[in-house]
Amino acid sequence: MKKILLLMACCLFISCNTKAKNGTDAQVRNEVAAKDHVEVLYFHGKQRCATCMAIEKNAKEAVEAAFAEQLKSGEVVFKTIDISRKENEKLAEKYEVSWSSLFVVKHKNGQETSENMTEFAFGNARKSPDVFKAGVVDAVNEMLK
């Protein structure tokens, strides 16, 4: 009988400890998700022209080259979002996107600030990629302040 009670007590302890640990892990995940960060969001549809593809390629290259450490830590995030996919509808609606677009978004203290760089991107990504990359880096740096 003592062995059974001891076994039950051990099982109960392990079970409670697992629940507590999972709760802590979930809490850590939520804190990381809510952490201040800057996102570079490239939106596109199914059909993409050469300029659209240059925007994605050059924006990603600029972010990866200038913010490698921040990408690793999650302080900077680069996302490519296909607006033709159902799971991305709400995000496209949030930023009022209906075609290829580029946004730099700052998340700080639960507040969001965004810069629509679409016009700049279409004017420079293909014909002046160095100017475009510098502009993306400047926008991210400004949002990191």
Side-chain angles (χ1 to χ4, degrees), residues 82-94:
D82 183 345
I83 61 173
S84 68
R85 298 181 61 117
K86 184 145 181 79
E87 64 265 22
N88 296 325
E89 283 178 5
K90 287 184 181 179
L91 196 56
E93 287 174 16
K94 176 179 178 179

Side-chain angles (χ1 to χ4, degrees), residues 38-40 42 56 59-60 63 71 76-80 102:
V38 173
E39 291 179 311
V40 178
Y42 169 67
E56 178 184 16
K60 187 173 184 180
V63 170
L71 284 166
V76 173
V77 176
F78 182 89
K79 291 182 183 175
T80 299
L102 182 68

Side-chain angles (χ1 to χ4, degrees), residues 26-43:
Q27 209 172 12
V28 169
R29 282 191 302 272
N30 288 338
E31 287 173 14
V32 169
K35 183 172 90 168
D36 294 346
H37 65 285
V38 173
E39 291 179 311
V40 178
L41 305 176
Y42 169 67
F43 295 90

Side-chain angles (χ1 to χ4, degrees), residues 3-107:
K3 288 181 182 179
I4 292 174
L5 288 175
L6 184 59
L7 182 60
M8 287 175 58
C10 287
C11 289
L12 181 61
F13 176 75
I14 291 169
S15 173
C16 290
N17 191 31
T18 301
K19 287 180 186 173
K21 183 178 185 285
N22 288 342
T24 302
D25 289 347
Q27 209 172 12
V28 169
R29 282 191 302 272
N30 288 338
E31 287 173 14
V32 169
K35 183 172 90 168
D36 294 346
H37 65 285
V38 173
E39 291 179 311
V40 178
L41 305 176
Y42 169 67
F43 295 90
H44 69 86
K46 275 187 180 178
Q47 301 290 328
R48 294 199 283 172
C49 66
T51 303
C52 296
M53 290 184 280
I55 292 169
E56 178 184 16
K57 175 186 173 288
N58 290 325
K60 187 173 184 180
E61 284 178 5
V63 170
E64 288 175 346
F67 304 103
E69 290 303 313
Q70 293 90 336
L71 284 166
K72 286 179 188 174
S73 71
E75 186 179 5
V76 173
V77 176
F78 182 89
K79 291 182 183 175
T80 299
I81 302 151
D82 183 345
I83 61 173
S84 68
R85 298 181 61 117
K86 184 145 181 79
E87 64 265 22
N88 296 325
E89 283 178 5
K90 287 184 181 179
L91 196 56
E93 287 174 16
K94 176 179 178 179
Y95 292 100
E96 299 177 356
V97 171
S98 58
W99 64 311
S100 291
S101 302
L102 182 68
F103 282 79
V104 178
V105 183
K106 176 181 185 175
H107 299 272

